[in-house]
Amino acid sequence: MDAARPAATGARAAPVVFLTGASSGIGEALARHYAAEGATLGLVARRAAQLDALAASLPGQHFTFAADVRDAAALQAAAESFMQQTGVPDIVIGNAGVSVGTLTGEQEDLPAFETVFDINVLGLVRTFAPFVKPMQARRSGALVGIASVAGIRGLPGAGAYCASKSAAITYLESLRVELRGSGVKVQTICPGYIDTPMTAINPYPMPFLLSADEAAPRFARVIARGTSYAVVPWQMGVVARLLRLLPDAVFDFAFAKAGRKPRGTL
């Protein structure tokens, strides 16, 4: 629903936020959190009906864009439309992501590998690209990428997802250094286990599981602080660091028979 940006009240204007993957899970929770704070939102997702229903349920006035992060032209058009109506956003959150079990030895899983990388890695590039130069010109703004602790070490049956999130972490690090001194912050958030439709099918224990509504304000605090890299919840950050320190032989033995996400199509 398109409308003019509401007037800000108080000493500090509420932020303008552009958010992908907004129709469910973490994205929906972030939308609800920022809307409650008075933000003006640009909400992007593939599912137009769910996106419009979300926007209609939020306080304030917001903009919706039915677009796939695999479509660079659609994202460019959404970004330009949003900026024409609100100005350059304060925060751009690349949240769209997918996960599915994959096995390299199964030829029919190749399309799933391609889709996961296209959305989880190149989707970030396509999301941020329209905003980099406008933010540089203004000398402010935050580009926030939602990665995952799954990018810290590779897990069996999750080669596509783990590798894509590892690539996302490295891409965001490169972009952060690239934009150093420009006034534009690049922030990486690595969620642990968050209770969303994506994790609902996981057939294994998920320690330190958070609901999306619990996770969203924690993400927002990380963004507000300008932290360059954070794991949410922090306990999973400790686990991830310990896993990174394990010798390969120990890690391989411990996780060779770990539970695996079901394979499927995307």
Side-chain angles (χ1 to χ4, degrees):
M1 46 194 247
D2 291 351
R5 181 182 180 185
T9 58
R12 182 178 178 181
V16 175
V17 181
F18 187 86
L19 169 66
T20 65
S23 63
S24 67
I26 292 172
E28 179 183 353
L30 282 169
R32 294 192 183 282
H33 173 82
Y34 277 113
E37 297 291 314
T40 298
L41 305 176
L43 303 172
V44 180
R46 291 177 293 176
R47 297 171 290 189
Q50 288 182 248
L51 200 58
D52 289 341
L54 170 63
S57 73
L58 299 176
Q61 298 173 311
H62 308 289
F63 303 82
T64 63
F65 305 95
D68 190 325
V69 296
R70 290 175 289 182
D71 187 338
L75 278 180
Q76 181 71 37
E80 290 177 355
S81 175
F82 188 57
M83 287 190 284
Q84 286 170 2
Q85 298 172 89
T86 67
V88 180
D90 303 293
I91 303 168
V92 175
I93 305 176
N95 168 71
V98 292
S99 176
V100 67
T102 50
L103 292 175
T104 300
E106 301 294 340
Q107 187 67 22
E108 62 267 28
D109 284 5
L110 182 56
F113 272 91
E114 293 172 341
T115 298
V116 169
F117 270 82
D118 202 6
I119 293 173
N120 293 359
V121 184
L122 295 178
L124 284 177
V125 181
R126 299 184 190 105
T127 297
F128 294 156
F131 299 104
V132 170
K133 289 184 178 179
M135 284 184 169
Q136 285 178 307
R138 192 184 59 188
R139 297 196 61 79
S140 69
L143 302 172
V144 182
I146 306 301
S148 172
V149 292
I152 304 300
R153 294 214 72 156
L155 298 172
Y161 186 70
C162 291
S164 73
K165 291 302 185 178
S166 180
I169 292 168
T170 303
Y171 161 68
L172 290 162
E173 184 173 59
S174 296
L175 184 61
R176 186 182 75 237
V177 178
E178 185 178 313
L179 295 179
R180 185 176 185 273
S182 70
V184 182
K185 297 175 182 176
V186 178
Q187 299 175 258
T188 304
I189 297 178
C190 290
Y193 291 113
I194 312 296
D195 188 9
T196 67
M198 186 183 296
T199 60
I201 62 172
N202 288 350
Y204 44 79
M206 293 182 283
F208 310 115
L209 179 72
L210 292 177
S211 71
D213 288 339
E214 290 175 311
R218 300 190 190 194
F219 288 12
R221 286 194 293 271
V222 168
I223 295 168
R225 289 195 299 264
T227 306
S228 62
Y229 176 93
V231 176
V232 177
W234 65 265
Q235 293 94 331
M236 281 303 296
V238 174
V239 172
R241 285 180 180 273
L242 292 175
L243 290 179
R244 186 70 269 174
L245 293 173
L246 284 179
D248 287 349
V250 176
F251 177 82
D252 294 354
F253 177 80
F255 284 89
K257 295 184 179 180
R260 304 183 181 193
K261 184 183 288 287
R263 293 166 57 221
T265 58
L266 291 169

